Amino acid sequence: MTPLDFIPAFFEEIGNIASNNDPFVGVMKMVWFFGISGGWVLIIIVLWKGVAFWWQDYLQTKYNAKRAWVILAIDVPRDNVQSPKAVENIFSHLAGAHSDPDLFDTWWNGVTQDYFSFEIVGRDGEIHFYVRTLRKFRDLVEAQIYSQYPQAEIKEVEDYTKSLPYDVPNKNWDLWGARLKLDKDEVYP
């Protein structure tokens, strides 16, 4: 008898117990059988996962509240001729800021991966480029942008999302978004 042969027998036994005429007695027998058969291990695992998820969420919320973010507006002259390789170079250099938090920082301090957000916003018929980054990475971001676009103007601005209403879409504001997903692995064209 293999260990997997136990699974159908386990559910067959539960079915036999549940077929009792008195539903209360059947439920109590099922609970007893579940307990003596090791089902309590499953309950402990589920509870442990739930507590671990709650603990990490609590710590990460505290950690993220302490982070100092900055939003940089990037103005590139219209006559600037660059290939997409320039932006690819910026992204590849910023990937050097990647660092995985260790186990202690993750489970005790709530440290999460630092990230950059590059945003393209259309407002009043114009296109605006923004970078949302941690204040500690501001110099790194500016250096990488200036290295590829020397004529660019970078300035710190207020969060443009604060001017948006809370209940979008509504009769005055429309919203559109998309999420692109590859059909196959990234190695395929």
Side-chain angles (χ1 to χ4, degrees):
M1 180 176 217
T2 66
L4 293 178
D5 292 338
F6 170 74
I7 295 172
F10 176 78
F11 286 111
E12 183 180 339
E13 183 64 27
I14 287 180
N16 291 339
I17 292 171
S19 63
N20 193 330
N21 289 337
D22 186 6
F24 179 74
V25 173
V27 168
M28 294 308 291
K29 284 183 178 179
M30 278 185 4
V31 169
W32 176 253
F33 180 73
F34 189 71
I36 63 171
S37 299
W40 53 273
V41 173
L42 179 65
I43 293 171
I44 289 175
I45 290 171
V46 168
L47 287 175
W48 176 255
K49 285 287 198 182
V51 168
F53 175 78
W54 172 83
W55 175 251
Q56 218 174 21
D57 183 56
Y58 168 73
L59 290 176
Q60 289 174 357
T61 302
K62 268 180 49 175
Y63 177 77
N64 287 331
K66 294 181 206 170
R67 287 178 151 180
W69 292 94
V70 62
I71 299 176
L72 304 173
I74 304 167
D75 293 326
V76 180
R78 287 184 184 267
D79 59 350
N80 190 349
V81 180
Q82 287 277 18
S83 71
K85 183 72 174 165
V87 178
E88 186 176 329
N89 287 337
I90 292 172
F91 290 158
S92 64
H93 283 100
L94 291 179
H98 174 84
S99 64
D100 289 325
D102 61 10
L103 208 55
F104 178 79
D105 279 340
T106 300
W107 288 97
W108 193 252
N109 297 328
V111 176
T112 58
Q113 174 64 46
D114 295 331
Y115 59 92
F116 305 93
S117 174
F118 286 78
E119 303 166 13
I120 302 173
V121 178
R123 257 191 349 209
D124 302 327
E126 296 180 3
I127 296 176
H128 301 275
F129 299 100
Y130 295 102
V131 179
R132 183 182 308 265
T133 183
L134 291 171
R135 188 167 297 282
K136 68 181 181 178
F137 291 130
R138 178 181 178 164
D139 291 339
L140 175 67
V141 170
E142 287 182 357
Q144 294 310 316
I145 292 171
Y146 284 136
S147 72
Q148 300 299 320
Y149 300 98
Q151 302 300 319
E153 294 180 22
I154 302 173
K155 59 185 172 191
E156 186 174 337
V157 294
E158 281 290 318
D159 189 356
Y160 64 89
T161 61
K162 290 181 180 178
S163 65
L164 299 174
Y166 183 72
D167 60 339
V168 174
N170 58 34
K171 65 179 182 147
N172 297 326
W173 288 80
D174 196 8
L175 184 67
W176 181 85
R179 182 175 182 189
L180 303 177
K181 182 181 174 190
L182 297 174
D183 286 338
K184 300 178 183 177
D185 288 334
E186 67 270 2
V187 297
Y188 293 105

